[in-house]
Amino acid sequence: MTSILQVITLALRDINVLAQSEPPAAEQADEAFQTLNQMMAAWRSDGIDLQYFEQTNVTDDLPVAAGDVLAVRYNLALLLAPSYQTEAPPTIIAAAAATFEKIARESTIRNMVERQSETQSPGAGQIGRYGNLYTQ
């Protein structure tokens, strides 16, 4: 698992706030931690639910799937950059967009499947001999 502090450290390095071997100061870590909780709450309210719940300890593991950690890292970097009067490098901007698009797409599909299973009776959605191509 990846800790929250590791993700924060990498995000700050991504925007060149920290040197390669430099850890974040306590104030930097606290600010980034608050921003992380806010970002994840905003994503959830927008329908992107990574099963993240508000964290209280920066040293805890990041409670998201391993495949979603990069999206959190790169998008956190974008949100932190203005606080340090810097801009994220184009590679980080592109990575943030690509990874966010991936989790948004996966979340949309997951939400559609959940809604369909909640509203359909067993056996519904079967179309011809191939079944429903949209749910297989």
Side-chain angles (χ1 to χ4, degrees):
M1 290 288 308
T2 305
S3 78
I4 295 168
L5 186 58
Q6 287 173 314
V7 170
I8 288 169
T9 301
L10 292 170
L12 290 169
R13 287 182 186 155
D14 289 339
I15 57 172
N16 301 310
V17 171
L18 298 177
Q20 189 61 33
S21 61
E22 182 182 8
E27 185 176 308
Q28 291 172 315
D30 287 343
E31 178 185 323
F33 187 41
Q34 290 174 3
T35 302
L36 171 66
N37 277 327
Q38 292 167 353
M39 178 182 78
M40 299 306 288
W43 285 5
R44 180 176 232 159
S45 71
D46 289 341
I48 300 170
D49 186 4
L50 302 182
Q51 303 303 309
Y52 181 93
F53 50 94
E54 186 170 342
Q55 300 299 296
T56 58
N57 191 338
V58 74
T59 59
D60 287 346
D61 287 336
L62 184 70
V64 300
D68 298 333
V69 172
L70 286 177
V72 173
R73 169 187 168 180
Y74 294 137
N75 284 278
L76 179 60
L78 293 185
L79 288 176
L80 293 174
S83 296
Y84 294 96
Q85 291 80 45
T86 189
E87 292 184 17
T91 54
I92 299 303
I93 294 169
T99 55
F100 183 80
E101 182 181 315
K102 174 189 166 283
I103 62 170
R105 182 176 55 249
E106 290 171 352
S107 185
T108 299
I109 292 168
R110 200 169 33 250
N111 290 340
M112 289 172 56
V113 169
E114 287 173 6
R115 277 192 221 113
Q116 184 178 23
S117 67
E118 291 171 359
T119 59
Q120 285 189 343
S121 59
Q126 296 297 321
I127 300 172
R129 66 180 181 178
Y130 299 108
N132 187 340
L133 298 177
Y134 298 108
T135 60
Q136 294 183 4

